[in-house]
């Protein structure tokens, strides 16, 4: 259900049973109706373990297109990275895995699609820096340090990004 508030914002509510799903924080989003679309500039969907931030549109026919960024809680991110070390390339300064996604489809078949090109490029860059840094350390006998602490590794990482 969409309800227009006195200040012009639109409140979206529904009959979803959240007791069996992820509990979400209340969603407060301003929308404009234009050419059969509900358009919004800032959408924030939060739970205890993630936050989705984006802007996009929802068609009156149920079509959804929302480019966004998924932020995964640092604790959960750490657990994921402990299983797949290469995913540390996707972490931000706060220790969250940060992943560009697109929420798209037509209700009820809406999917969250990760930007696989972004993921692959970040993982490749980090892996290449690690490999090159390891080779250089072997050559000069330097003690092992993370690539960002290694001057050449840091320069290579910035160049490859």
């Amino acid at each position: 259900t969409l309800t227009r508030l006195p200040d012009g914002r639109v409140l979206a509510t529904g009959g979803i049973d959240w007791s069996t799903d992820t509990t979400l924080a209340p969603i407060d989003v301003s929308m404009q109706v234009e050419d059969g679309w509900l358009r919004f500039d800032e959408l924030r969907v939060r739970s205890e373990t993630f936050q989705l931030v984006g802007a996009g549109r929802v068609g009156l026919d149920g079509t959804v297109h929302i480019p966004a960024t998924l932020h995964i809680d640092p604790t959960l991110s750490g657990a994921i990275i402990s299983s797949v070390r290469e995913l540390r390339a996707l972490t931000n300064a706060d220790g969250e895995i940060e992943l560009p996604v697109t929420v798209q489809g037509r209700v009820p078949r809406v999917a969250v699609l990760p930007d696989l090109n972004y993921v692959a490029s970040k993982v490749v860059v980090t892996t290449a820096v690690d490999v090159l840094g390891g080779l250089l350390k072997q050559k000069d006998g330097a003690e092992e340090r993370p690539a960002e602490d290694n001057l050449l590794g840091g320069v290579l990482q910035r160049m490859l990004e």
Side-chain angles (χ1 to χ4, degrees):
T1 307
L2 297 175
T3 307
R4 181 167 297 280
L5 300 175
D7 63 358
R9 293 178 298 148
V10 177
L11 178 65
T13 58
I16 299 171
D17 178 10
W18 295 111
S19 65
T20 59
D21 296 316
T22 301
T23 301
L24 299 176
I27 300 170
D28 183 17
V29 63
S30 295
M31 297 182 209
Q32 297 82 36
V33 178
E34 180 180 301
D35 298 327
W37 293 95
L38 298 173
R39 295 182 189 272
F40 43 90
D41 294 327
E42 186 176 338
L43 173 68
R44 290 184 182 277
V45 179
R46 289 189 328 251
S47 78
E48 290 182 18
T49 56
F50 75 87
Q51 177 173 239
L52 183 78
V53 179
R57 61 189 184 179
V58 176
L60 298 178
D61 65 352
T63 302
V64 176
H65 181 76
I66 307 169
T69 302
L70 178 65
H71 300 264
I72 300 174
D73 172 79
T75 303
L76 181 55
S77 292
I80 293 168
I81 291 166
S82 70
S83 297
V84 184
R85 185 171 157 17
E86 293 79 10
L87 293 181
R88 71 181 162 77
L90 302 176
T91 57
N92 63 20
D94 296 327
E96 303 169 324
I97 289 178
E98 194 174 77
L99 182 62
V101 298
T102 300
V103 181
Q104 69 181 31
R106 184 173 292 204
V107 175
R109 298 185 187 273
V110 177
V112 178
L113 305 172
D115 182 342
L116 296 180
N117 290 329
Y118 174 85
V119 172
S121 68
K122 291 293 273 188
V123 169
V124 166
V125 166
T126 301
T127 302
V129 167
D130 287 349
V131 168
L132 290 172
L135 291 173
L136 292 171
K137 287 174 200 164
Q138 287 177 356
K139 184 175 180 177
D140 68 11
E143 63 183 65
E144 189 166 329
R145 296 179 300 190
E148 56 271 7
D149 292 343
N150 175 309
L151 178 61
L152 184 55
V155 169
L156 287 171
Q157 185 170 7
R158 283 190 288 284
M159 286 173 42
L160 293 171
E161 290 176 340

